[in-house]
Amino acid sequence: MASKLKTAKALAALQKKLAEEMDTEKCRISLCNGTACRPYGSNPVADAFKAEIEKRGLADQVEFKITGCHGFCERGPIAIVEPGNVFYQRIQVSDVPEILDNTVQKKAPIERLLFKQDAGAKAVARQNDIPFYTDQQRIVMGNNARLDPTNIEDYIAIGGYSALSKTLFDLQPDAIIQMVKDSGLRGRGGGGFPTGTKWETCRKAHGDIKYVIVNADEGDPGAYANEGLLTGNPHSVLEGLIIGAFAIGSHQGYIYVRNEYPLALKNITMAIEQAEKLGLIGKNILGSGFDFSVRVNRGGGAFVCGESTALMASLEGKTGEPRAKYIHTVERGLWDKPSCLNNVETWANIPLIINNGAGWFSKIGASGNSGTKIFSLTGKVNNTGLVEVPMGIKLRDIIFDIGGGIRGGKKFKAVQTGGPSGGCLPEKLLDSPVDFDSLLKAGSMMGSGGMIVMDEDNCMVDTARYFLTFLEEESCGKCVPCREGVKRMRQILTDITEGKGQVSDLELLTELAAHLKDSALCALGSSAPNPVLTTIQYFKDEYEAHIKDKKCPAGVCKALIRFSIINEKCPGCARCVKPCPTQAITFMGKQKPVVLDQSKCIKCRTCFDICKMGAVSIE
Amino acid sequence: MTDKVAAIVKKYGSHSSQLVSILQDIQAEYNYLPRTALDKLSKKLDIPQSHVYSMATFFRAFSLKERGKHICNVCQGTACHVRGADLILEALERQLGVERGQTTADRGFTLETVNCMGCCATGPVVKIDDEFFGHMTNDKVEPMLSKFKE
């Protein structure tokens, strides 16, 4: 690695040198080795590439890069081959030699590894032609595929840290804050508070010691956008943080990372060490006289620590309990000093604004909601993954164009945004724009970018019960409305899913929800009713089916369903007999339907999943 | 044990603000938080034992009970839930003969749940030690466990 950079000129020179080195005739293969590609076996594939390149002595012809998340997690392990922008998917170790041959000899792409939306569709060779990518605007996530996150030189080569250099030498703190204000950037952690205003208040707050904090405690279950960014491009977050610190007048930063994200922890820690070595963090950064150091803290698996005051308590070495925010954390936060906390994605947007200008940024997205937002598109959608879209895009465009519609030809039922604090939106709202204000109006929220798609097989009462169970476990217990209110709501919902609901329950749930919204200490409690309220509002018929008819239309709630064998469809293949954990299914001879003993059936769904003939029914 | 705890505390500059990280490292070392280590920690950092215990019990990542050789973590995040993660958890409970949070009698496995591991697209996901298993179904549970049984 290069030696310590003492001036802006030295950084610019290094950048020029690295960019020139990159600009060779070499073929480039960048393999995604993000957290989601690993269960598919991307690690052995990466090893195979390295071994094969060494074995054949191809190092001077092929540049092989292991990168963070490319976004299209559904099709992992994935790789991009340049030149040609070829997108290979579901790569196995055995495919590696062929990919190398093909790349080096510049042959046509390997057909079987190309993307097809379904078996009969035409193969698409270039990544930029795949519908999953065409409708996205990957300004923040896009660089993930271009760099090895464990090598700071890769980031510098594509212009990294030039925004920092510009900040330190060409801009005054007030001008930076004005830029961020003019860009219209709003907090990506969910609340959508204007970032520039937050910075300005913190800069003006009294006190010599101030802190800047990265909230990487992405606790929303079903959201992993921050993980993808922190793992795939840690320096972009770090650069944003240093710029913010300079603007606010802070010399110490903290990055609070969930401990469930080991790879993100490793990469950000390594990024800090490398930035320190190059003099981009530490004393007298690039000779500007500005000092800044940063420390990584790990979370302990408490969802409430995503809340700013709870996070700061945890940073102080206390239990992660929130406090009432009569005085905001920008005035008195960590150790009672003015503290500016922003989400991972918010920080990563900062270098883009500095480099390209506030005007450029404010033109992306929708009015009052500028820029892009990264969503983790998951659940029952065909193309799952991390998608970055301009704000104001329609839900329908994300789910059906980028997401490729619902799996297995099933019918769309709901999309859940905003994690446990958000809500479930029905089909009739699919044409509403995705931005902070519209989602809030619909009863949900942006949250940290989870977007979980549900189909006809998902029960909305069960979904509400699921979120309340989660929140009951995660409630810190400090304030009574949350500790007791969430618990009671969960009990009522459990009763409904078990067929013990009463007609008056819906009214009681709504009443409890109103009290909780008004009186809980922090957002965990005050937004806890959202999943319940939206499901009652948009899916009341499902609640009524559970309460009045004692039926679960989606076939999920165990107490209300019954498995049975459709005799006409069962060929007696007995595939389901052995896997049944309670031996409830008896083989009656070939060509004869099996028999299911209801008294033994525990409704584990194993037979339903195994049967290829559709001979198991759920009523 | 004293040496190991002392080394971990030293690594974090004896800052009590680093308590969560220190506890994480102790747990990584012993697989749980042994009482003797916590006693040592409170002396080293000069903070009350009650404070150490308040932290160790507040955060769900910590275990005060000795855990099994393999930690089996079932993701219960929303994306995994809508694809049937609770059925996978039940299958594991049946096959291991323990409930979540418990350790098998032979100390082979501890069954735990986690709220999201950041690979939602491959759900339902189970992680045993450092190995991820995606797109889980009931019939994949037994072969997965047998990989880790002697």
Side-chain angles (χ1 to χ4, degrees):
Chain A
M1 205 164 80
S3 55
K4 195 165 177 169
L5 304 166
K6 290 183 180 147
T7 59
K9 263 189 186 158
L11 174 68
L14 177 66
Q15 208 148 50
K16 192 164 170 261
K17 178 177 153 267
L18 292 171
E20 278 167 7
E21 278 170 12
M22 203 173 65
D23 210 19
T24 60
E25 291 296 300
K26 262 189 185 179
C27 308
R28 281 199 304 278
I29 299 174
S30 47
L31 176 79
C32 173
N33 198 19
T35 306
C37 271
R38 295 186 177 208
Y40 294 118
S42 58
N43 265 327
V45 171
D47 292 341
F49 267 113
K50 281 189 270 185
E52 196 71 20
I53 288 169
E54 199 188 315
K55 197 175 100 190
R56 299 199 203 171
L58 292 174
D60 50 353
Q61 290 180 63
V62 181
E63 188 187 342
F64 174 65
K65 232 179 245 312
I66 297 173
T67 72
C69 184
H70 293 196
F72 203 173
C73 309
E74 181 69 34
R75 301 292 177 130
I78 52 186
I80 307 287
V81 177
E82 298 286 1
N85 191 232
V86 180
F87 178 87
Y88 287 133
Q89 47 143 45
R90 291 183 180 151
I91 301 167
Q92 299 301 311
V93 170
S94 56
D95 299 321
V96 169
E98 197 181 344
I99 294 176
L100 280 173
D101 283 340
N102 207 288
T103 304
V104 175
Q105 292 163 23
K106 298 194 169 56
K107 285 195 285 196
I110 306 163
E111 173 92 12
R112 69 164 196 285
L113 295 175
L114 298 179
F115 171 82
K116 290 184 194 126
Q117 185 63 62
D118 42 56
K122 203 170 159 271
V124 185
R126 284 162 40 86
Q127 174 184 286
N128 297 345
D129 296 336
I130 295 172
F132 177 81
Y133 287 106
T134 46
D135 289 343
Q136 294 192 48
Q137 198 168 352
R138 298 171 71 82
I139 57 171
V140 179
M141 280 284 283
N143 284 337
N144 275 20
R146 297 173 65 197
L147 53 89
D148 172 355
T150 61
N151 183 358
I152 191 171
E153 293 190 344
D154 275 16
Y155 182 67
I156 292 175
I158 58 167
Y161 288 106
S162 55
L164 174 66
S165 172
K166 188 172 165 186
T167 298
L168 295 175
F169 297 99
D170 304 339
L171 295 168
Q172 295 299 316
D174 289 332
I176 300 163
I177 290 174
Q178 194 56 45
M179 262 177 109
V180 177
K181 278 172 92 173
D182 292 345
S183 74
L185 177 67
R186 294 169 69 175
R188 297 304 195 238
F193 190 80
T195 306
T197 311
K198 195 184 219 177
W199 285 21
E200 188 174 44
T201 322
C202 195
R203 174 162 180 82
K204 285 183 180 162
H206 294 288
D208 294 338
I209 300 172
K210 291 175 185 176
Y211 299 109
V212 283
I213 303 165
V214 180
N215 184 351
D217 192 48
E218 191 181 34
D220 282 7
Y224 64 110
N226 289 174
E227 201 274 350
L229 197 51
L230 207 56
T231 306
N233 195 353
H235 286 288
S236 67
V237 181
L238 215 46
E239 187 179 2
L241 182 70
I242 309 168
I243 294 169
F246 177 76
I248 290 159
S250 160
H251 301 286
Q252 176 68 47
Y254 290 91
I255 303 178
Y256 190 89
V257 188
R258 278 185 93 204
N259 201 51
E260 290 83 348
Y261 287 168
L263 196 58
L265 263 166
K266 185 177 149 235
N267 287 3
I268 189 70
T269 308
M270 200 185 269
I272 293 170
E273 281 167 15
Q274 293 181 352
E276 277 170 350
K277 272 191 195 137
L278 281 189
L280 297 162
I281 292 178
K283 294 248 176 256
N284 193 14
I285 296 171
L286 296 175
S288 65
F290 178 65
D291 303 336
F292 182 68
S293 62
V294 61
R295 186 166 207 167
V296 175
N297 274 58
R298 287 182 280 169
F303 174 69
V304 72
C305 286
E307 200 277 342
S308 59
T309 57
L311 187 150
M312 289 176 199
S314 175
L315 276 179
E316 291 172 11
K318 299 179 191 149
T319 52
E321 289 177 356
R323 63 161 173 82
K325 287 193 246 184
Y326 308 117
I327 304 170
H328 288 288
T329 50
V330 281
E331 309 264 357
R332 279 173 74 176
L334 187 60
W335 288 294
D336 278 344
K337 308 286 182 209
S339 305
C340 183
L341 173 141
N342 284 124
N343 172 269
V344 171
E345 194 182 335
T346 314
W347 289 118
N349 268 292
I350 299 298
L352 294 173
I353 294 171
I354 302 292
N355 277 331
N356 301 300
W360 169 83
F361 190 85
S362 64
K363 282 190 197 81
I364 301 167
S367 163
N369 285 275
S370 52
T372 60
K373 176 81 189 90
I374 308 171
F375 287 99
S376 7
L377 185 61
T378 59
K380 302 290 187 69
V381 69
N382 274 316
N383 304 334
T384 54
L386 290 182
V387 303
E388 184 180 347
V389 288
M391 294 257 215
I393 189 174
K394 286 177 189 168
L395 276 167
R396 187 185 299 280
D397 297 342
I398 301 182
I399 297 166
F400 288 90
D401 294 345
I402 297 173
I406 310 300
R407 277 166 186 260
K410 295 271 184 178
K411 201 167 165 284
F412 170 88
K413 185 187 271 182
V415 56
Q416 208 281 340
T417 67
S421 312
C424 297
L425 306 177
E427 185 160 18
K428 67 173 183 196
L429 292 179
L430 278 180
D431 288 315
S432 37
V434 179
D435 60 52
F436 289 107
D437 311 311
S438 308
L439 286 176
L440 215 52
K441 220 172 98 193
S444 185
M445 65 185 283
M446 184 78 89
S448 64
M451 191 173 274
I452 297 120
V453 179
M454 299 180 211
D455 67 7
E456 53 193 304
D457 293 338
N458 290 114
C459 168
M460 301 318 290
V461 186
D462 172 70
T463 305
R465 182 201 57 80
Y466 162 79
F467 281 117
L468 272 281
T469 308
F470 173 87
L471 291 164
E472 182 188 357
E473 278 179 20
E474 294 298 336
S475 171
C476 77
K478 186 173 177 177
C479 76
V480 179
C482 179
R483 189 179 67 225
E484 297 300 325
V486 171
K487 185 177 183 170
R488 295 293 169 232
M489 288 178 83
R490 197 271 305 150
Q491 283 172 341
I492 296 168
L493 287 164
T494 307
D495 279 350
I496 297 176
T497 58
E498 288 175 352
K500 293 182 271 185
Q502 294 164 14
V503 179
S504 58
D505 282 350
L506 295 186
E507 208 181 310
L508 186 56
L509 279 172
T510 316
E511 194 190 328
L512 274 170
H515 288 305
L516 204 48
K517 264 186 190 287
D518 284 344
S519 54
L521 184 62
C522 80
L524 187 148
S526 64
S527 60
N530 286 348
V532 185
L533 291 176
T534 49
T535 46
I536 293 179
Q537 185 183 352
Y538 300 122
F539 303 93
K540 202 169 183 179
D541 53 329
E542 276 195 48
Y543 278 88
E544 283 168 349
H546 283 73
I547 295 169
K548 290 180 188 156
D549 311 333
K550 309 293 173 201
K551 284 207 166 94
C552 174
V556 172
C557 300
K558 277 192 176 178
L560 306 177
I561 55 169
R562 185 173 170 271
F563 285 76
S564 56
I565 307 293
I566 306 168
N567 287 346
E568 301 78 56
K569 285 188 181 173
C570 177
C573 73
R575 272 173 58 100
C576 57
V577 175
K578 211 176 149 219
C580 176
T582 55
Q583 286 86 45
I585 303 173
T586 315
F587 178 58
M588 305 302 283
K590 275 188 181 167
Q591 321 280 312
K592 286 184 190 161
V594 294
V595 173
L596 173 65
D597 181 350
Q598 293 294 337
S599 66
K600 285 187 185 168
C601 178
I602 54 166
K603 300 166 185 174
C604 71
R605 219 183 156 97
T606 305
C607 54
F608 183 87
D609 290 339
I610 283 179
C611 184
K612 290 209 164 101
M613 310 304 291
V616 182
S617 78
I618 305 175
E619 290 151 32
Chain B
M1 185 172 276
T2 314
D3 292 351
K4 280 180 183 165
V5 172
I8 292 168
V9 170
K10 199 177 160 202
K11 187 175 135 195
Y12 291 100
S14 302
H15 282 296
S16 62
S17 64
Q18 294 281 319
L19 201 48
V20 175
S21 296
I22 293 171
L23 289 171
Q24 296 275 16
D25 280 11
I26 294 177
Q27 177 152 300
E29 181 69 40
Y30 300 103
N31 216 7
Y32 76 113
L33 297 175
R35 189 178 172 163
T36 42
L38 295 185
D39 291 352
K40 202 83 242 166
L41 179 61
S42 102
K43 288 197 184 89
K44 276 266 159 217
L45 289 175
D46 196 20
I47 50 174
Q49 279 198 12
S50 60
H51 183 61
V52 175
Y53 275 85
S54 77
M55 296 292 279
T57 52
F58 180 86
F59 293 101
R60 64 182 275 150
F62 300 123
S63 172
L64 294 174
K65 277 189 257 165
E66 195 175 349
R67 300 192 295 174
K69 190 173 166 200
H70 302 291
I71 311 289
C72 179
N73 240 321
V74 191
C75 182
Q76 298 287 297
T78 319
C80 289
H81 176 80
V82 301
R83 292 191 188 171
D86 49 345
L87 298 170
I88 306 297
L89 176 63
E90 284 169 20
L92 276 157
E93 286 179 334
R94 272 198 309 277
Q95 298 215 7
L96 292 172
V98 292
E99 287 180 11
R100 75 169 187 168
Q102 295 179 338
T103 302
T104 54
D106 64 356
R107 295 228 165 272
F109 292 90
T110 296
L111 183 61
E112 294 185 344
T113 58
V114 59
N115 286 330
C116 189
M117 294 192 276
C119 41
C120 311
T122 53
V125 181
V126 176
K127 188 175 124 189
I128 299 186
D129 302 334
D130 288 329
E131 197 173 339
F132 288 92
F133 298 87
H135 294 299
M136 284 300 294
T137 50
N138 277 353
D139 54 320
K140 284 187 193 165
V141 168
E142 202 196 339
M144 174 184 75
L145 286 177
S146 59
K147 260 186 91 171
F148 295 87
K149 285 178 184 163
E150 269 80 22

